[in-house]
Amino acid sequence: MKHVVIVGAGFAGVRCALDLAERHLKDVKITLINPTSHFEYHAALYRVLFGKTPMEVCIPLMAIFQKRRVEVLEDYIIDLDYKTNIVIGKSRSKYRYDYLVLALGSEVNYFNIPGLNNLSFSFKSITDAIRLKRHIHEVFETCDRLDGQKQICDTRFVVIGGGATGVEIAGVLAVYTKKIAKLHQINPSLISIDLISSSTRLVPELEPTLSTMVENRLRELSVNIYLGRRVMKSEVEEVFLKDMTLKTRTVIWAAGTKGHHLYRSWGLPVDERGRAIVNKFLHPKDIKNIFVVGDGSNSKYSGLAETAIFHGSYVAETITKIIKRYPINPASEISPKIAVPVGPSWAVSKLGPLQETGYTGWLVRRMFDFQFFLSILPFKSAIDAFREEGRVWESCPVCVEAEAKFSSERLLR
């Protein structure tokens, strides 16, 4: 019996487990170990800020692997022993493997900028998104009791990072904060959304023309954009750039990630961003029964969901070939498709030579979402997950009451 252990249930880990299970390999046991019982669809994380339900983001692993021969365990792996082929969990359980797939993902990288770790909001998990959303509502709950300057400070939201995540957050905040300001009876003109990027253009992985379209769209939404600016430090209610200071109560960090710290602590070779250095077969250190996949590897397009999905499929195919004693091929990654939403019902998408913007680009993005749900869930479950996007989820009592009153008045008219 060969034992394949997959650590991490992100895009790469889930895809690898599914593809291995679909091959129905005899005498092969597949175990997926993850700290939580759900998969997080990070591509939809920004919608939680827009008052949408978290149910589209959190998909139970049991729903994904129902009727599939995959053992799903909830544990946090803390140690790896190469000599005995064992990984050890926080529960102190030991898991022996013949083939190990490390899909630990990435962590927030603050680049040692003073103050950001403690004073900013990160945006890498559903917990981060809900925490930030709760904070935004708390800001508006207290805003009407403040004087002029303090009110302006509290209604300024600073997003640091001009990549896809920063753009998605800024676009959502530009619309959502004005909506809830009205529900809290705060003047929407007080709101300021500032997007700071160290790069000279937004979403640098896009062509310059598409980056310009993204910038123009954000400006239409009244987002203030600062390009080519680096954050020097952050203190309580202040963000310091090289030549200016922004007073704010809300700083959202979306400017960088690094490989999971465990890769370094386990003695794997890592690059300057802490990502495991892998060869053309995604092996670290030429250890042929270990693979590092997804955001934590230093492969060409790592950091994108489609790359992680490709890694998962490639490793599943490679392990199958090794078990069957077939020759294996190196990973040949292709340029992934990209779709970046900028506010509601607007996106820029790039699929090879095809480019779409506006509502059409948003439809392409939703098509990508549905395609992914279909790839991991039964058809009915995929439909249900996709439909969750339309559901509103608000925990703020003021907003719920105001929305109900508005709906009643509209019906009476």
Side-chain angles (χ1 to χ4, degrees):
M1 175 70 72
K2 298 293 184 183
H3 192 191
V4 180
V5 174
I6 303 167
V7 181
F11 287 103
V14 165
R15 187 70 265 160
C16 185
L18 284 172
D19 282 14
L20 279 171
E22 289 169 2
R23 284 171 164 78
H24 303 289
L25 299 171
K26 292 182 179 180
D27 299 325
V28 174
K29 180 182 179 182
I30 307 164
T31 299
L32 178 67
I33 306 172
N34 195 57
T36 66
S37 61
H38 62 269
F39 161 80
E40 291 191 5
Y41 184 54
H42 288 159
L45 200 58
Y46 76 98
R47 288 199 278 269
V48 175
L49 282 185
F50 199 59
K52 301 300 183 180
T53 174
M55 298 306 294
E56 187 189 18
V57 177
C58 296
I59 302 175
L61 293 174
M62 296 309 296
I64 297 173
F65 294 105
Q66 61 178 310
K67 299 181 181 179
R68 291 183 169 98
R69 292 177 56 191
V70 176
E71 179 186 33
V72 178
L73 301 177
E74 193 171 335
D75 201 353
Y76 182 81
I77 298 302
I78 58 174
D79 207 357
L80 165 62
D81 189 330
Y82 308 104
K83 295 181 180 178
T84 59
N85 286 356
I86 287 176
V87 288
I88 303 171
K90 197 172 184 179
S91 65
R92 308 315 301 173
S93 298
K94 296 182 178 181
Y95 309 96
R96 190 198 64 80
Y97 64 85
D98 293 287
Y99 303 98
L100 177 64
V101 183
L102 297 174
L104 303 179
S106 59
E107 297 176 332
V108 179
N109 189 357
Y110 293 103
F111 301 104
N112 297 317
I113 300 173
L116 280 176
N117 188 13
N118 298 320
L119 298 174
S120 68
F121 290 86
S122 57
F123 201 75
K124 273 193 63 64
S125 69
I126 185 62
T127 302
D128 291 340
I130 292 174
R131 174 172 165 259
L132 175 56
K133 183 182 175 185
R134 186 182 300 120
H135 166 79
I136 292 170
H137 282 276
E138 289 172 355
V139 166
F140 286 103
E141 286 170 6
T142 59
C143 193
D144 61 340
R145 300 193 292 270
L146 304 175
D147 60 25
Q149 288 301 315
K150 188 66 172 67
Q151 202 173 48
I152 292 172
C153 170
D154 278 24
T155 53
R156 165 174 263 161
F157 300 88
V158 177
V159 182
I160 305 173
T165 301
V167 164
E168 290 171 359
I169 295 171
V172 163
L173 287 178
V175 177
Y176 185 62
T177 52
K178 288 182 172 59
K179 173 187 173 183
I180 61 174
K182 292 178 181 178
L183 297 178
H184 284 270
Q185 299 183 353
I186 304 296
N187 187 352
S189 65
L190 292 172
I191 295 172
S192 174
I193 310 296
D194 299 331
L195 179 61
I196 302 170
S197 175
S198 60
S199 175
T200 55
R201 62 187 180 92
L202 299 176
V203 199
E205 56 265 35
L206 293 174
E207 281 80 1
T209 54
L210 294 181
S211 292
T212 301
M213 290 182 182
V214 169
E215 181 178 342
N216 291 340
R217 168 61 175 169
L218 285 173
R219 294 191 188 281
E220 287 175 4
L221 296 174
S222 300
V223 175
N224 305 312
I225 300 172
Y226 301 91
L227 298 176
R229 305 288 186 94
R230 290 187 178 276
V231 176
M232 309 304 291
K233 65 177 179 177
S234 178
E235 295 181 356
V236 176
E237 297 193 352
E238 285 186 314
V239 176
F240 294 86
L241 307 182
K242 186 176 181 180
D243 55 353
M244 64 185 297
T245 301
L246 301 175
K247 293 188 176 295
T248 178
R249 184 178 161 188
T250 309
V251 179
I252 304 165
W253 180 255
T257 60
K258 59 183 177 181
H260 201 286
H261 70 276
L262 286 175
Y263 291 135
R264 187 186 298 274
S265 68
W266 289 340
L268 297 180
V270 297
D271 63 10
E272 68 281 356
R273 290 175 52 190
R275 302 176 304 177
I277 298 173
V278 296
N279 64 16
K280 59 185 179 180
F281 300 103
L282 302 183
H283 297 307
K285 250 185 183 179
D286 290 326
I287 305 174
K288 294 187 177 180
N289 68 334
I290 296 181
F291 302 84
V292 179
V293 296
D295 295 0
S297 76
N298 75 327
S299 58
K300 186 175 181 181
Y301 297 110
S302 67
L304 298 173
E306 192 178 3
T307 299
I309 293 168
F310 166 77
H311 283 181
S313 293
Y314 167 78
V315 169
E317 180 183 3
T318 299
I319 291 175
T320 301
K321 288 181 176 179
I322 292 172
I323 292 173
K324 293 185 175 182
R325 300 181 184 276
Y326 293 163
I328 61 174
N329 302 314
S332 55
E333 300 182 51
I334 59 173
S335 178
K337 55 181 180 285
I338 301 173
V340 182
V342 191
S345 303
W346 198 102
V348 55
S349 63
K350 179 180 179 297
L351 177 57
L354 300 178
Q355 301 177 359
E356 297 290 348
T357 59
Y359 185 69
T360 304
W362 179 79
L363 290 177
V364 172
R365 168 57 188 265
R366 294 302 286 147
M367 180 190 70
F368 290 167
D369 292 337
F370 185 54
Q371 186 181 40
F372 175 74
F373 290 139
L374 278 178
S375 73
I376 65 169
L377 293 168
F379 183 78
K380 185 180 182 304
S381 298
I383 292 289
D384 291 342
F386 185 72
R387 284 176 175 170
E388 288 289 344
E389 189 272 339
R391 287 183 54 197
V392 175
W393 178 76
E394 290 290 9
S395 56
C396 169
V398 174
C399 294
V400 172
E401 183 180 349
E403 283 278 24
K405 181 180 179 182
F406 174 75
S407 298
S408 299
E409 290 174 349
R410 184 171 55 184
L411 287 173
L412 289 172
R413 287 198 298 268

